[in-house]
Structure formats: structure tokens, C-alpha cells
Amino acid sequence: MSDAIRDALAACAVLNLAYADEDGPQACAVFFAPAPDGSLVFVSSRSTRHGRALASDPGGVRVAFTVQDDDQGWRTLRGVQGRGVCHRLTGTGLDAARAAYAARFPFVADDGRLARALASSDHWSVRPTWLRLIDNSRGFGHKTEWP
């Protein structure tokens, strides 16, 4: 993954996740943290619609996503489009995800209610298989793709 894509992911906090279930396509927004291994980590409960859909295949569910800052103009638009595989984390993967998420959102540990909610939530990982950075500040429609 290029440094430009890593920087764009690090600059944003919300991932818009698209998936499909038995009722068809759907999307949700989740706070996420880029992990050192290149995955994107978020928390959510398996009781939500997206949680049930993502838990439907323990081997992983194919998803699409976007990441971008709010309040951008046409000339400065920068964001990432991607596809990947999402799965619920356990074991050492869960430990690494918790560390990445805590580093991204350190204020959660200072709020007992948030800390308890985070501790009881499922942690998920999106392992990107394809990424496209759009960066209009480098020219309208400028793209960098990975791989």
C-alpha cells in the first residue's frame, strides 16, 4: 500500500461500509482505525444488521467501502475507495485490533461507559484487496491504485 493511501486513511475516522445480506445491499458508517498490518479495524455488535451479515461467513465476507473527510470541495476532495474481506476478530488478532483502536481513539479509555461498551463489542477487520485513492488536490480525478 502506498504512503499516500496510508496517509489518507490515517486522516479520516469514519469508514462507510457496503455489504449485502438476504434483504439486499446495505451500507453503514463506522469509526475505524488503520492497523499496522494494513487492515482496517472497527467495532460493532453482531446483533446489528451489518453485524449479522458480516458474521454469516466465519471465513470472511466480501465488502466495499469508502473513507473521506467531511466538508471537502471539488478541488480538494481526497478519499479512498476499496474492496476487501471482513471478518470478526478473535485471539491475537483481537488483541492487535484493540491496541490499534485504542491508539486511534484514546479518549475512550477515559470514559467508563465508552470503555465498557468497547470491551463488550465485537472487533472486525477489513483486509483490503483493492484500494483507490482519489486526490483532486493533485489534479481533478487523480487516482492512485493498490495493488
Side-chain angles (χ1 to χ4, degrees):
M1 177 181 319
S2 74
D3 288 341
I5 292 174
R6 285 185 198 280
D7 291 346
L9 291 170
C12 302
V14 176
L15 180 139
N16 303 291
L17 184 69
Y19 61 93
D21 62 12
E22 65 277 353
D23 291 328
Q26 184 65 18
C28 64
V30 294
F31 287 102
F32 82 101
D37 68 358
S39 64
L40 309 174
V41 176
F42 67 95
V43 297
S44 189
S45 170
R46 281 176 279 172
S47 67
T48 63
R49 179 178 175 184
H50 60 272
R52 289 188 305 273
L54 298 173
S56 66
D57 184 346
V61 172
R62 292 179 50 182
V63 297
F65 60 89
T66 63
V67 172
Q68 69 283 325
D69 276 333
D70 289 337
D71 200 29
Q72 296 187 77
W74 283 82
R75 292 188 174 109
T76 59
L77 179 71
R78 184 172 97 156
V80 177
Q81 303 167 348
R83 291 188 300 267
V85 177
C86 183
H87 66 278
R88 190 172 64 85
L89 294 164
T90 60
T92 58
L94 176 58
D95 295 338
R98 283 187 171 145
Y101 206 82
R104 180 73 180 261
F105 303 107
F107 62 88
V108 171
D110 297 333
D111 182 316
R113 187 174 60 102
L114 286 176
R116 285 188 299 279
L118 185 64
S120 66
S121 292
D122 292 307
H123 286 64
W124 304 83
S125 170
V126 175
R127 177 146 324 267
T129 56
W130 173 84
L131 296 166
R132 175 186 288 151
L133 169 67
I134 304 293
D135 189 349
N136 284 357
S137 70
R138 298 178 64 191
F140 186 75
H142 177 84
K143 298 175 181 84
T144 302
E145 290 192 8
W146 173 89

